[in-house]
Amino acid sequence: LKLENRTKGKLQKQICQIVLDHFEKQYTTELGDTWTSVRDVLTNPLCWQYAVLLNKFSQPAELENALHVKGYHPAFQGPLPYLPSSLKCYIRRNPGRFPAQKHQAGKLKEYYLLNAASLLPVLALEVKDAEDVLDLCAAPGGKSVAILQCAYPGQFHCNEYDDLRLRWLKETIESFIPDPLINLITVSKLDGRHIGDLKPELYDKVLVDAPCSNDRSWLFSSDIQQAALRLIQRKELSSLQFQLLRSGIKALRPGGSLVYSTCTLSKAENSDVINLILNSCSNVMPVDISEMAKAVSQEFTFLSGTQHHELLVLPEKGRAWGPMYIAKLKKM
């Protein structure tokens, strides 16, 4: 208990007050009373949960038994519109994380630890075998790995503009994907805003997991000056997100679909960006994803009152997943 209290104190001390004050003001306005319970989870890492995504390419048979013994169960069990049997993800109600595996050159990892809500954009994208797929902002690579657990794309293009994150993406792919399949993946370092012009109407499915104000990590910024700068630059993020989204739409074939996601609660970076796209691009339509939400409502808490083409996962105790915003569009 002493150790736990010490850890608690240490973690509480790390909360960046300038960020918390900023969020307090914004999210009290946007979320009302809901913000109080969300804030309690976001500011207390001791109640955070981690999901275990199994890697089908390294066949970890005993791992499933070990997870069952530790109280884990499959994350997705409802009648989902799209749930490939090869996608296996385990969660449990208790906080804490399963031990992480280190990267070893030439050796595939058996599982990937992640926030279970980050698989919802992949399930919404509904990738099928032989489809051409673009992951526009792919690092650190968890969603790319999850897409490959679901299907074998025709061509799979993973893009990341930031140098450091690009290295991280390459390492993730090496850690989870076997050689023959790696050859089918194109990893590029392009400005995502220009990909639509460089590769127009080339893809059946596009994922835009956009750079955003990452609410969880920003709350624990250790550098106060950097945190203050982030909060100033936050206003410009929605413009970048809009440009990335527009580029993703250009890269889509007619009839193809796009999923936009962020890990922030911010309305300016979520529904406002989607509404702006829907109002300015006459060739895209919103796609209803409410059935998916219904099917996973046992494990995830969603903000009520969103439109049928969007979801916002709200972290709460015992279901500490998110924040994760997801919206789906189709190109006509």
Side-chain angles (χ1 to χ4, degrees):
L1 191 66
K2 252 186 198 166
L3 178 67
E4 191 173 295
N5 286 341
R6 211 180 313 146
T7 314
K8 214 175 212 166
K10 199 172 158 193
L11 288 166
Q12 294 302 69
K13 258 183 247 158
Q14 289 177 340
I15 289 170
C16 186
Q17 197 59 45
I18 186 176
V19 175
L20 184 57
D21 292 345
H22 179 91
F23 284 180
E24 197 75 53
K25 203 170 160 188
Q26 181 182 348
Y27 295 149
T28 302
T29 307
E30 290 180 12
L31 301 170
D33 295 342
T34 310
W35 164 241
T36 311
S37 57
V38 171
R39 181 194 59 209
D40 289 349
V41 173
L42 291 182
T43 55
N44 182 10
L46 292 172
C47 71
W48 293 3
Q49 292 156 276
Y50 296 85
V52 183
L53 174 67
L54 304 197
N55 185 12
K56 70 176 182 184
F57 302 112
S58 66
Q59 302 298 322
E62 333 70 63
L63 180 57
E64 287 191 69
N65 296 333
L67 287 165
H68 284 304
V69 168
K70 288 183 180 288
Y72 283 82
H73 61 271
F76 306 105
Q77 301 181 83
L80 277 142
Y82 170 85
L83 181 61
S85 56
S86 52
L87 181 80
K88 290 184 176 179
C89 177
Y90 284 85
I91 59 174
R92 65 174 181 179
R93 288 283 160 141
N94 304 346
R97 73 159 81 199
F98 204 65
Q101 289 183 312
K102 285 196 167 71
H103 172 71
Q104 289 176 278
K107 191 165 188 261
L108 292 184
K109 289 186 182 181
E110 295 181 343
Y111 55 88
Y112 188 97
L113 299 178
L114 77 177
N115 185 320
S118 54
L119 291 177
L120 295 176
V122 174
L123 292 174
L125 197 60
E126 300 189 27
V127 174
K128 297 181 178 63
D129 287 348
E131 286 184 324
D132 296 326
V133 181
L134 168 64
D135 189 349
L136 193 74
C137 317
K143 292 180 183 70
S144 302
V145 166
I147 286 169
L148 290 165
Q149 302 302 314
C150 293
Y152 293 97
Q155 58 164 317
F156 190 24
H157 181 179
C158 298
N159 181 67
E160 179 53 53
Y161 189 52
D162 181 88
D163 279 318
L164 191 65
R165 289 174 64 80
L166 181 70
R167 283 210 299 278
W168 194 0
L169 170 66
K170 285 177 176 172
E171 189 174 285
T172 301
I173 290 171
E174 274 170 34
S175 291
F176 287 91
I177 311 304
D179 268 349
L181 197 56
I182 279 188
N183 302 335
L184 303 176
I185 303 169
T186 303
V187 178
S188 66
K189 182 192 179 296
L190 297 167
D191 184 330
R193 294 171 292 187
H194 305 316
I195 284 183
D197 292 323
L198 296 169
K199 298 177 181 293
E201 302 196 343
L202 261 190
Y203 303 98
D204 302 296
K205 300 280 163 76
V206 173
L207 176 63
V208 181
D209 185 43
C212 67
S213 44
N214 183 328
D215 295 355
R216 269 187 199 242
S217 68
W218 280 27
L219 275 166
F220 292 89
S221 306
S222 51
D223 183 332
I224 291 171
Q225 281 177 311
Q226 187 199 33
L229 186 63
R230 275 175 171 171
L231 293 174
I232 293 164
Q233 292 171 337
R234 191 179 199 208
K235 296 184 187 77
E236 295 157 24
L237 276 170
S238 54
S239 167
L240 169 65
Q241 290 154 346
F242 175 78
Q243 291 171 67
L244 289 168
L245 199 41
R246 200 171 50 186
S247 173
I249 289 163
K250 283 182 184 173
L252 256 192
R253 291 184 178 128
S257 46
L258 175 148
V259 168
Y260 172 78
S261 59
T262 73
C263 53
T264 179
L265 298 160
S266 176
K267 185 173 167 287
E269 298 175 52
N270 294 340
S271 49
D272 288 359
V273 174
I274 291 294
N275 290 338
L276 192 57
I277 277 287
L278 288 170
N279 291 330
S280 59
C281 298
S282 57
N283 61 342
V284 289
M285 292 269 299
V287 178
D288 189 341
I289 51 174
S290 56
E291 282 306 307
M292 182 180 86
K294 250 182 255 168
V296 298
S297 59
Q298 284 291 304
E299 302 293 355
F300 298 89
T301 303
F302 297 101
L303 178 69
S304 58
T306 55
Q307 297 183 81
H308 66 275
H309 59 273
E310 57 177 0
L311 307 170
L312 179 59
V313 181
L314 301 174
E316 66 170 37
K317 281 193 177 125
R319 303 198 285 189
W321 313 115
M324 180 61 58
Y325 175 81
I326 303 122
K328 187 169 184 178
L329 306 171
K330 183 173 182 167
K331 188 170 183 178
M332 307 318 287

